[in-house]
Amino acid sequence: MHSVRPFVVSAAAVAVLAAAVTGCTQKADSEGNEDGAVEVIAKDDSCEVSETEIKAGHVELAIENKGSKVTEVYILFPDDRIVTERENIGPGTKQRLTAEVKPGSYEIACKPGMKGDGIRQKVTFTGQGAADKRSPELDKAVAAYRAYVQQQADETLPKVKVFTDAVKAGDIETAKKAYAGSRIGWERTEPVAESFGDIDPKVDIREDGLEQGQKWTGWHRLEKALWQDNKIGDEEKALADQLVADLTDWQKRVGTAEITPTSMGNGAKELLDEVASGKVTGEEERYSHTDLVDFKANVEGAQKAYELLRPVASKNDPKLAEELDKQFAAMSTLLDKYREDKNSYAFTSYDQVTEPQRKELSDAVSALGEPLSKLAAAVVK
């Protein structure tokens, strides 16, 4: 969850995230400090980048948060689309981020508190990098993932229409039944949707994540109306139409997203971050308690990206592939314990999941998140 979808992070959530995302990546091709990485020092009032001219291709950022707030670091296109990101970097911690970057002008942004536009540094990536020499196997993986993302968007719109039609008809119970299912495709591919920057805060922001003056729209605004307020008025009906319009925009634009093998690997890890920061804590679906549906969809999306990258990852780092196979299987088995119907997306309401059970889920996320944080680097070795 990045700054266009900010949230209040509890101490427990930060601890989970630190466990889930820790892991070193391999040496990058870019020039920077002695191990080849570009250093980024994030503070509460500055974003220090060790160099502003960087060799294009496979780039590694060595990030250290020397501030007092949880932060995020992005590489951004000039139009604010996201090349890559690392979220939930706790104070006093270090992270590594591997990405493929084409030659051109960009910005590196640090976002203390994970809100606002962040503190930005202009950088230029120069020359022809290793990303231009991608193998046919990786090209195939990117093409297959692009098709998957488009399919998820295409399949989401009819499900959203069922949900919003019920809202506009004032049918609270039918809307409640359709709500969680309408979010599955989005949750499976959320990092790609977030890469556009402007769609996510319209459709998937929570109330405590709103920027000053921002109108609350999207799924969670309607979730609150249905479960907490138990009423649908003219405003909610108008918001239902807006949700369809915003998601139609997503559907049309998703095919233009910048997708690379490293963005697939980083995106898989981001989906586990989504689980750790919102689903395990119960913050995401705080009114409907349908968190386990989102949880499952996030894991499925991460697994799809991994499976497409696995042929290359298993050759470059067989032990990593073996561990990821093991942890994805364990996660699937654990989540199946909460399925009310083994052949559907009917899961136990999250308010019925006990604290020891939540701890077990959290531990499983950490066990999967640690090796998954190494996937992007593994595919570009």
Side-chain angles (χ1 to χ4, degrees), residues 91-137:
T93 64
K94 299 179 180 181
Q95 299 282 330
R96 290 275 175 143
L97 179 60
T98 302
E100 290 180 40
V101 187
K102 297 177 182 178
S105 298
Y106 298 83
E107 289 183 320
I108 292 178
C110 305
K111 301 191 178 183
M114 299 188 297
K115 287 192 176 186
D117 292 332
I119 305 163
R120 303 189 177 201
Q121 297 290 337
K122 293 185 183 297
V123 295
T124 302
F125 290 87
T126 62
Q128 298 298 314
D132 296 322
K133 305 171 185 177
R134 186 183 299 157
S135 70
E137 283 181 302

Side-chain angles (χ1 to χ4, degrees), residues 38 84 128 135 154 158 162 198 238 350 369:
V38 177
T84 192
Q128 298 298 314
S135 70
D154 293 344
V162 172
D198 61 335
Y350 204 62

Side-chain angles (χ1 to χ4, degrees), residues 5-308:
R5 186 186 175 200
F7 59 95
V8 177
V9 182
S10 66
V14 171
V16 170
L17 285 161
V21 303
T22 300
C24 294
T25 61
Q26 302 298 317
K27 181 186 290 187
D29 294 333
S30 66
E31 298 176 355
N33 62 17
E34 67 271 11
D35 73 349
V38 177
E39 295 180 345
V40 179
I41 305 299
K43 300 180 181 178
D44 293 346
D45 57 359
S46 66
C47 185
E48 301 169 7
V49 181
S50 62
E51 53 193 295
T52 57
E53 287 196 7
I54 304 164
K55 183 180 176 182
H58 297 144
V59 177
E60 186 177 37
L61 301 184
I63 304 165
E64 182 175 3
N65 183 1
K66 291 187 175 180
S68 63
K69 303 174 182 178
V70 176
T71 195
E72 307 170 321
V73 172
Y74 297 77
I75 300 177
L76 299 169
F77 288 104
D79 61 2
D80 267 10
R81 286 180 300 124
I82 298 168
V83 178
T84 192
E85 63 181 305
R86 179 56 54 90
E87 304 171 348
N88 298 292
I89 306 169
T93 64
K94 299 179 180 181
Q95 299 282 330
R96 290 275 175 143
L97 179 60
T98 302
E100 290 180 40
V101 187
K102 297 177 182 178
S105 298
Y106 298 83
E107 289 183 320
I108 292 178
C110 305
K111 301 191 178 183
M114 299 188 297
K115 287 192 176 186
D117 292 332
I119 305 163
R120 303 189 177 201
Q121 297 290 337
K122 293 185 183 297
V123 295
T124 302
F125 290 87
T126 62
Q128 298 298 314
D132 296 322
K133 305 171 185 177
R134 186 183 299 157
S135 70
E137 283 181 302
L138 289 176
D139 280 338
K140 181 180 178 181
V142 168
Y145 187 68
R146 187 178 295 281
Y148 170 74
V149 170
Q150 186 66 61
Q151 178 189 31
Q152 294 304 308
D154 293 344
E155 293 178 354
T156 293
L157 264 295
K159 295 176 181 178
V160 169
K161 283 284 290 178
V162 172
F163 170 62
T164 56
D165 284 351
V167 171
K168 291 192 292 182
D171 188 342
I172 291 177
E173 291 308 311
T174 298
K176 284 182 176 180
K177 290 176 182 178
Y179 170 77
S182 75
R183 292 175 48 74
I184 292 170
W186 173 273
E187 291 289 339
R188 285 173 176 161
T189 61
E190 191 166 1
V192 176
E194 289 181 340
S195 72
F196 295 110
D198 61 335
I199 297 177
D200 183 82
K202 295 177 183 177
V203 304
D204 201 27
I205 198 165
R206 300 193 300 261
E207 187 173 17
D208 54 358
L210 295 171
E211 300 282 355
Q212 187 172 0
Q214 180 183 354
K215 181 181 179 182
W216 190 17
T217 61
W219 268 301
H220 294 303
R221 167 65 178 80
L222 294 171
E223 178 202 8
K224 182 175 185 284
L226 292 168
W227 272 273
Q228 179 165 298
D229 303 336
N230 197 38
K231 66 178 183 180
I232 297 173
D234 290 342
E235 181 181 0
E236 286 74 26
K237 293 176 182 180
L239 289 172
D241 282 332
Q242 183 175 344
L243 179 62
V244 172
D246 290 336
L247 289 172
T248 300
D249 183 27
W250 162 57
Q251 179 195 26
K252 291 177 178 177
R253 292 165 61 185
V254 73
T256 68
E258 182 79 9
I259 296 175
T260 66
T262 54
S263 76
M264 290 168 61
N266 289 329
K269 194 270 317 164
E270 288 166 31
L271 285 168
L272 262 290
D273 288 355
E274 291 278 343
V275 174
S277 63
K279 283 70 174 184
V280 167
T281 62
E283 296 176 68
E284 179 77 4
E285 307 288 359
R286 60 190 65 175
Y287 309 111
S288 64
H289 305 299
T290 56
D291 301 88
L292 287 174
V293 176
D294 292 356
F295 192 138
K296 178 64 173 175
N298 285 156
V299 172
E300 286 179 338
Q303 187 164 6
K304 180 66 175 182
Y306 164 61
E307 288 173 349
L308 292 173

